């Protein structure tokens, strides 16, 4: 039996791009994940957000992996796909991934730091200011994360007196 990542073969297609929103349909393949990372990097370069690229790519990769692993695996038809949307707001970059599953994101509770799976939402939580999910009627959900676009001031260095 093939994995969910091998089932989807349609090409990623950009959707409804605007100066402050960019979206891409993703395939559930290694190529699809690479395209999502490249798409995120190009978009952030256009928006002059190079300083947020590493965190955004990590968040997008985790969101997309969760959507493919949990969302597409339970889709009853090939008509569903995963959509990545990047939105630039005044103070935040919103990274959102929509999938056809009604199952809510699960924040794994494990003390084993060596486990291969189960840390995605912990990573998203660590890199973003806020994250959450929204149901998409009639079916599906969007999981999103907000990354600050402004630079945070460094804490005051400890001064020797």
């Amino acid at each position: 039996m093939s994995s969910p990542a091998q089932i989807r073969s349609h090409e990623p297609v950009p959707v409804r791009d605007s100066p402050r929103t960019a979206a891409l349909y993703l395939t559930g393949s290694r190529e699809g994940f690479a395209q999502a990372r490249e798409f995120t990097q190009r978009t952030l370069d256009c928006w002059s957000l190079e300083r947020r690229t590493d965190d955004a790519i990590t968040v997008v990769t985790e969101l997309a992996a969760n959507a493919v692993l949990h969302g597409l695996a339970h889709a009853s038809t090939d008509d569903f796909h995963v959509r990545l949307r990047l939105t630039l707001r005044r103070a935040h970059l919103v990274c959102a991934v929509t999938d056809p599953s009604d199952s809510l994101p699960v924040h794994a509770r494990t003390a084993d730091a060596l486990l291969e799976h189960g840390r995605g939402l912990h990573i998203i939580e660590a890199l973003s200011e806020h994250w959450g999910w929204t149901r998409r009627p009639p079916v599906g959900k969007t999981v999103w994360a907000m990354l600050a676009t402004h630079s945070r001031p460094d804490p005051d260095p400890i001064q020797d007196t």
Side-chain angles (χ1 to χ4, degrees), residues 8-57:
R8 308 285 180 226
S9 62
H10 47 73
E11 291 296 312
V13 179
V15 293
R16 287 195 273 167
D17 288 346
S18 76
R20 294 175 101 27
T21 300
L24 179 73
Y25 285 116
L26 302 176
T27 64
S29 65
R30 289 178 196 243
E31 294 82 15
F33 292 128
Q35 289 167 333
R37 289 188 291 270
E38 291 168 14
F39 175 78
T40 301
Q41 181 165 3
R42 281 193 319 269
T43 302
L44 270 58
D45 287 349
C46 288
W47 291 341
S48 299
L49 288 175
E50 294 86 356
R51 67 191 174 281
R52 296 309 325 236
T53 299
D54 290 341
D55 288 348
I57 287 173

Side-chain angles (χ1 to χ4, degrees), residues 103-149:
S103 298
L104 303 181
V106 176
H107 214 277
R109 299 172 200 261
T110 180
D112 189 349
L114 298 177
L115 286 179
E116 187 173 332
H117 297 285
R119 294 185 305 243
L121 291 178
H122 292 286
I123 292 168
I124 291 167
E125 185 173 51
L127 295 176
S128 64
E129 282 196 355
H130 309 285
W131 76 275
W133 55 271
T134 306
R135 289 196 188 276
R136 292 284 168 218
V139 65
K141 69 178 171 307
T142 299
V143 182
W144 51 266
M146 297 174 68
L147 285 73
T149 56

